[in-house]
Amino acid sequence: MNKKLVNKADGAVDEALSGYVAANAGLQLLEGHRVVVRADIDSLIAQGKVTLLSGGGSGHEPAQSGYVGHGMLSAVVCGDIFASPPPAAIFAALKAIASPAGTLVIVTNYTGDRLNFGIAVERAKAEGMKVAVVIVGDDCALPNTGNSAGRRGLAGTVLVHKLAGAKAELGCGLAEVFDTAFNAAKNAATMSVSLSPCIVPGRDPSFHLEKNEMEFGLDILHCTRCSWRAWYKKDGGSTS
């Protein structure tokens, strides 16, 4: 039997965000949206610094809400568990952190994220906001060709956040922050490995692994089955 400290599955995201912000004085929630924002965002904008936005489905903590803060992201938009946030929430976040220096949006390469963030970014540009987008696809398990969406955004996204955030905090312009993030994303590579599936609150495990199995090439941290399995040994050896 799987046990979780969750009151209700459909309220898990909102309760988690409320608790996270309450425990961190440097953060705030954007009213009416699942958007975590730096508490000093007005000062950041007044200083004419580039702001950074990212986001995605909840359930991957600390990604992405855990990366909001000094030298990192200015705001993060959270969706339901393993579901992309809606365009309206993303647009609200863009408005909340709009800076005369511009905003860089860092998006992981998933169809829902690219679609919803793309819609919000186009709307923001239509309203005169200065916005640039970097797509992160660091997954080594998938080719970047064919009919698929290509390589997915995985743990390498954290490095993109950090490098772009450091440049923005230094006061670099949008073009330089974008180039830093783009080059980091282009050179990042991640291979995901799991010893067990995850369990979404209120659901069964997403798949089954034997006690001596591990799985490679999974989706972003929540372990949907993907590429291949291998036997593992505690003495350091493993075989496919």
Side-chain angles (χ1 to χ4, degrees), residues 34-205:
R34 291 170 172 168
V35 176
V36 178
V37 186
R38 284 177 58 165
D40 63 348
I41 188 64
D42 291 337
S43 173
L44 202 68
I45 294 170
Q47 294 175 59
K49 292 184 177 181
V50 171
T51 54
L52 273 64
L53 176 68
S54 191
S58 297
H60 312 110
E61 289 73 18
Q64 306 287 339
S65 55
Y67 307 134
V68 178
H70 181 84
M72 290 284 276
L73 300 173
S74 308
V76 156
V77 195
C78 302
D80 286 323
I81 296 177
F82 303 161
S84 178
I90 300 168
F91 179 70
L94 284 167
K95 288 182 66 177
I97 66 170
S99 168
T103 299
L104 178 67
V105 182
I106 301 171
V107 183
T108 49
N109 189 33
Y110 293 90
T111 302
D113 288 341
R114 292 192 65 164
L115 177 63
N116 291 353
F117 275 88
I119 291 171
V121 166
E122 290 305 311
R123 182 179 173 188
K125 288 181 176 179
E127 295 200 7
M129 297 183 210
K130 189 177 180 181
V131 184
V133 178
V134 167
I135 306 295
V136 183
D138 55 309
D139 185 5
C140 293
L142 293 178
N144 222 7
T145 58
N147 296 323
S148 71
R151 293 176 174 173
R152 302 159 299 187
L154 295 175
T157 310
V158 183
L159 301 178
V160 179
H161 292 337
K162 182 56 186 171
L163 291 169
K167 285 285 188 179
E169 202 70 48
L170 288 172
C172 298
L174 182 59
E176 186 173 353
V177 176
F178 170 86
D179 287 344
T180 298
F182 179 83
N183 288 323
K186 182 176 67 175
N187 290 289
T190 300
M191 174 62 71
S192 57
V193 182
S194 180
L195 301 180
S196 64
C198 79
I199 304 171
V200 176
R203 302 183 190 177
D204 293 327

